[in-house]
Amino acid sequence: MKMVICGKGGSGKSTVSALVARELVRQGYRVLLIDADESNLGLHRLVGIEPPVVMMDSLGGKKGFKEKTQGTFPGSYELFAGVLGIEDLETHGRSDGKGLTLMSIGKIHEPGEGCACPMGSLSRMILSRLETGEKDMVIIDTAAGVEHFGRGIDSHSDLVLGVIDPSFESLKLAEKMEVMAEKAGLPVMFVLNKMDERTRKALCDRINLRNVVAEIDHHDDIFIAGLEGRSLDTIPPAVADAVLAVLSAKGSIKSQNKKRPLL
């Protein structure tokens, strides 16, 4: 199963991605966590893994990627041929040795280097070829906003998990995500993040979204760990609620999925 995690900037996407990945590993799943946010620099710290080699860099940057996919030797790079399993991508990432592998798609390094569209293309190519086993889970931590819908990353995933923090902008973006996921034919679930009694009441009075599956309270230890760039070793009980909802939907999602073309 492949799950996209998205939301507005600062909503806690990377934190939720890391926590969900940790909980799935705890439950015996093999997890591939894909960093598809070209601006994110700290996801590896949240899961306690050394930074992996950025895949776009290992392909020779945007120019090298274009040559391998459209240039003199199209399709010569083995990653772009045939079906992939998580084991085929583990060498391109870095493992914690317990069942979690982190892979980074691409980063913006220099001013004026151009847009992040090649990163989106690389993400689509990988996801379109990636098949998962019964105890495999793929989590894609996306860039802020809804650009991933426009890039078609979601079209090769199975479920969208939106993260909502207590802000008006987050609520409005979540409503847009719900509409776009429906148009893309994808199930969507939401997690309320950074909750306390005051924000929970204010948010619940205004929220009209379906499929809110978990409410993660504000935790000082998670906040401080994120601030200091340390591993998130505390998993709030609400994360298990989100994982349970995702796994409960897994069977029906699998039966409804249609074969999608490889890119």
Side-chain angles (χ1 to χ4, degrees):
M1 183 178 182
K2 294 172 279 189
M3 174 173 59
V4 170
I5 295 187
C6 55
K8 84 166 184 60
S11 62
K13 295 184 294 84
S14 295
T15 297
V16 171
S17 296
L19 291 172
V20 168
R22 280 281 179 83
E23 175 62 19
L24 283 164
V25 168
R26 192 188 70 81
Q27 294 192 27
Y29 283 81
R30 180 174 63 164
V31 178
L32 175 65
L33 177 57
I34 299 178
D35 179 2
D37 183 350
E38 61 273 3
S39 300
N40 188 347
L41 301 176
L43 182 57
H44 67 281
R45 295 181 182 275
L46 298 180
V47 290
I49 296 177
E50 290 296 313
V53 174
V54 176
M55 182 170 282
M56 185 64 72
D57 297 348
S58 70
L59 296 176
K62 295 176 181 177
K63 181 179 178 181
F65 171 68
K66 184 176 181 180
E67 289 173 350
K68 286 180 172 64
T69 55
Q70 302 173 8
T72 308
F73 305 105
S76 62
Y77 187 60
E78 68 275 9
L79 185 64
F80 305 133
V83 173
L84 296 170
I86 287 182
E87 61 279 359
D88 298 310
L89 297 172
E90 288 176 333
T91 57
H92 298 277
R94 209 177 275 270
S95 173
D96 69 349
K98 302 175 182 177
L100 173 61
T101 298
L102 174 64
M103 188 175 76
S104 176
I105 295 293
K107 301 295 175 185
I108 299 293
H109 298 300
E110 301 291 340
E113 72 173 70
C115 73
C117 297
M119 285 76 147
S121 297
L122 179 54
S123 296
R124 286 199 311 275
M125 284 183 175
I126 292 171
L127 291 174
S128 72
R129 286 164 167 74
L130 184 56
E131 291 190 356
T132 55
E134 189 63 28
K135 295 293 285 186
D136 292 341
M137 292 292 292
V138 178
I139 299 171
I140 305 102
D141 182 20
T142 63
V146 293
E147 189 172 354
H148 47 90
F149 281 105
R151 291 179 180 177
I153 294 173
D154 304 72
S155 64
H156 295 284
S157 304
D158 301 309
L159 182 143
V160 174
L161 183 65
V163 180
I164 304 172
D165 70 356
S167 69
F168 177 81
E169 292 83 1
S170 194
L171 280 175
K172 298 307 293 183
L173 182 64
E175 291 171 359
K176 186 170 185 177
M177 286 191 295
E178 190 172 49
V179 171
M180 295 185 79
E182 185 173 348
K183 288 182 178 178
L186 287 170
V188 59
M189 298 177 178
F190 292 100
V191 170
L192 306 184
N193 193 32
K194 306 178 186 178
M195 292 290 102
D196 59 28
E197 288 305 315
R198 184 181 63 170
T199 56
R200 179 177 290 106
K201 183 179 186 307
L203 195 61
C204 290
D205 285 347
R206 291 166 175 78
I207 198 165
N208 58 4
L209 294 166
R210 305 183 298 273
N211 301 321
V212 174
V213 296
E215 299 179 14
I216 302 176
D217 288 339
H218 171 83
H219 287 260
D220 285 341
D221 50 351
I222 291 177
F223 172 76
I224 296 299
L227 180 63
E228 296 178 348
R230 293 188 285 105
S231 173
L232 300 178
D233 297 323
T234 299
I235 304 178
V239 175
D241 295 337
V243 167
L244 176 62
V246 168
L247 295 179
S248 296
K250 185 179 176 185
S252 59
I253 289 170
K254 184 176 181 180
S255 66
Q256 292 171 11
N257 276 348
K258 297 179 180 178
K259 186 70 175 177
R260 301 181 180 111
L262 301 181
L263 296 179

